[in-house]
């Protein structure tokens, strides 16, 4: 993710806010017409956090606070830690009539919290911009208290559709992140990485740092323009709610979610 002026990014991090600070790219409007995707991610939060209560939760790279307000249902305090000033400016208006969320300009690899200051960290739709997410994972480990929870969603390259494609071509599923941008996108003025990750690789990286996987989900399982055109949203949402956990072990959908616990070293 992009950096602040006071910090120096570690290897593998991004060094600019790029499109998220581009006035022509309003991430709030990106979600117009994506009601199913929004519902799927809210279901994800409820599945993972139901019955839990936190003192201080942090939405790392949470944009304009889209899911921060949902997270507020489970935490006494929520901080939106976002590296794009434009996103924080949008958040001021978006959050003004909603449950209180504190917003701070910060990058995932350098969070403005003391060691062990938070008990829940959430990362959603972030590491597709991080070919090497390990520095961010290490920083989240640092700010979490012992036994604190980390919920991460990421673009899953090993989804069912891709597995079928690779099988038909006789190719193995790649272990390293896969850049899915076109050549034109890579040469654009707001060029930032956009990768899909192998869930097994992400899990290994997290466990090597000191996290233990406690739960997992398959999310946005019916993210299809065709399905959204012909199947009513309420039907898709009911299917999503019923199948996020049963489909998890097969990494069926385009998004994988892990709930992890910090293991004290």
């Amino acid at each position: 993710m992009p950096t602040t002026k006071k910090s120096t990014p570690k290897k593998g991090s991004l060094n600019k806010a790029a499109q998220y600070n581009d006035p022509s790219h309003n991430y709030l409007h990106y979600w117009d017409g994506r009601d199913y995707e929004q519902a799927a991610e809210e279901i994800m939060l409820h599945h993972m956090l139901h019955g839990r209560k936190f003192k201080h939760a942090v939405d790392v790279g949470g944009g304009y606070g889209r899911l921060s307000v949902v997270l507020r249902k489970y935490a006494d305090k929520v901080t939106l830690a976002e590296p794009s000033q434009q996103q924080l400016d949008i958040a001021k208006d978006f959050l003004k009539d909603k449950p209180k969320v504190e917003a701070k300009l910060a990058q995932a690899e350098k969070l403005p919290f003391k060691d062990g200051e938070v008990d829940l960290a959430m990362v959603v739709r972030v590491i597709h911009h991080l070919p090497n997410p390990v520095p961010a994972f290490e920083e989240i480990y640092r700010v979490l208290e012992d036994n604190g929870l980390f919920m991460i969603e990421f673009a899953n390259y090993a989804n069912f559709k891709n597995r079928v494609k690779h099988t038909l071509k006789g190719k193995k599923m790649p272990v390293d992140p896969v850049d899915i941008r076109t050549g034109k996108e890579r040469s654009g003025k707001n060029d930032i990485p956009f990768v899909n990750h192998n869930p097994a690789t992400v899990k290994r990286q997290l466990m090597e740092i000191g996290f233990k996987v406690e739960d997992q989900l398959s999310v946005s399982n019916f993210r299809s323009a065709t399905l959204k055109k012909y199947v009513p949203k309420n039907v898709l949402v009911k299917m999503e709610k019923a199948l996020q956990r049963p489909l998890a072990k097969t990494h069926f959908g385009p998004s994988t979610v892990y709930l992890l616990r910090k293991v004290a070293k």
Side-chain angles (χ1 to χ4, degrees):
M1 298 297 288
T3 65
T4 61
K5 293 181 179 179
K6 295 182 179 180
S7 61
T8 301
K10 297 179 181 180
K11 182 180 180 180
S13 68
L14 301 182
N15 60 11
K16 56 183 178 180
Q19 72 184 85
Y20 295 101
N21 275 334
D22 183 348
S24 68
H25 177 82
N26 188 318
Y27 192 54
L28 178 66
H29 295 324
Y30 170 85
W31 285 91
D32 293 344
R34 288 181 166 86
D35 295 344
Y36 160 71
E37 289 84 349
Q38 174 70 25
E41 293 182 3
E42 291 186 17
I43 290 169
M44 165 192 82
L45 263 70
H46 298 322
H47 272 153
M48 287 299 198
L49 304 181
H50 178 71
R52 303 178 190 267
K53 192 67 175 180
F54 301 91
K55 301 185 295 294
H56 185 188
V58 178
D59 184 3
V60 180
Y64 58 86
R66 178 178 62 91
L67 293 178
S68 299
V69 293
V70 184
L71 195 58
R72 188 67 177 77
K73 298 177 182 179
Y74 300 96
D76 297 328
K77 177 182 178 180
V78 172
T79 301
L80 167 61
E82 165 59 39
S84 164
Q85 185 58 57
Q86 177 171 271
Q87 291 301 297
L88 294 181
D89 292 341
I90 296 171
K92 289 180 182 179
D93 184 61
F94 178 77
L95 296 171
K96 66 181 180 181
D97 296 321
K98 296 178 174 63
K100 183 178 179 181
V101 172
E102 182 178 353
K104 293 187 177 184
L105 184 68
Q107 61 174 351
E109 301 90 339
K110 190 173 180 63
L111 296 171
F113 308 109
K114 298 177 182 178
D115 294 359
E117 185 177 339
V118 305
D119 53 349
L120 172 66
M122 179 176 76
V123 168
V124 176
R125 292 179 179 254
V126 172
I127 73 165
H128 58 272
H129 292 316
L130 297 177
N132 175 19
V134 171
F137 293 164
E138 292 173 337
E139 179 70 347
I140 288 168
Y141 185 92
R142 179 189 69 80
V143 303
L144 277 173
E145 67 180 22
D146 291 346
N147 292 312
L149 293 179
F150 176 25
M151 185 173 72
I152 178 171
E153 177 276 346
F154 58 92
N156 162 36
Y157 189 79
N159 59 65
F160 177 75
K161 184 177 179 180
N162 278 348
R163 291 202 305 273
V164 171
K165 286 182 179 179
H166 279 258
T167 299
L168 292 176
K169 293 179 179 179
K171 294 183 178 180
K172 293 183 179 180
M173 190 61 55
V175 175
D176 295 328
V178 177
D179 192 332
I180 65 170
R181 294 171 300 169
T182 65
K184 182 178 180 180
E185 289 170 335
R186 296 183 191 187
S187 61
K189 66 177 182 178
N190 289 330
D191 175 43
I192 56 175
F194 200 111
V195 301
N196 286 184
H197 291 270
N198 185 309
T201 300
V202 174
K203 180 185 288 188
R204 175 183 56 77
Q205 291 169 330
L206 289 161
M207 293 179 68
E208 287 176 352
I209 291 168
F211 288 105
K212 177 183 178 182
V213 178
E214 294 208 338
D215 201 357
Q216 66 183 68
L217 298 173
S218 177
V219 175
S220 295
N221 296 287
F222 310 106
R223 185 192 299 164
S224 160
T226 302
L227 284 175
K228 289 167 64 176
K229 182 177 180 180
Y230 294 106
V231 181
K233 190 197 87 171
N234 65 320
V235 175
L236 291 177
V237 170
K238 287 181 180 179
M239 293 168 59
E240 179 76 21
K241 184 175 182 180
L243 293 174
Q244 280 190 354
R245 185 158 277 116
L247 293 175
K249 289 187 178 180
T250 65
H251 299 292
F252 177 88
S255 292
T256 289
V257 179
Y258 290 136
L259 182 68
L260 307 110
R261 188 174 296 277
K262 173 180 175 177
V263 179
K265 296 180 179 179

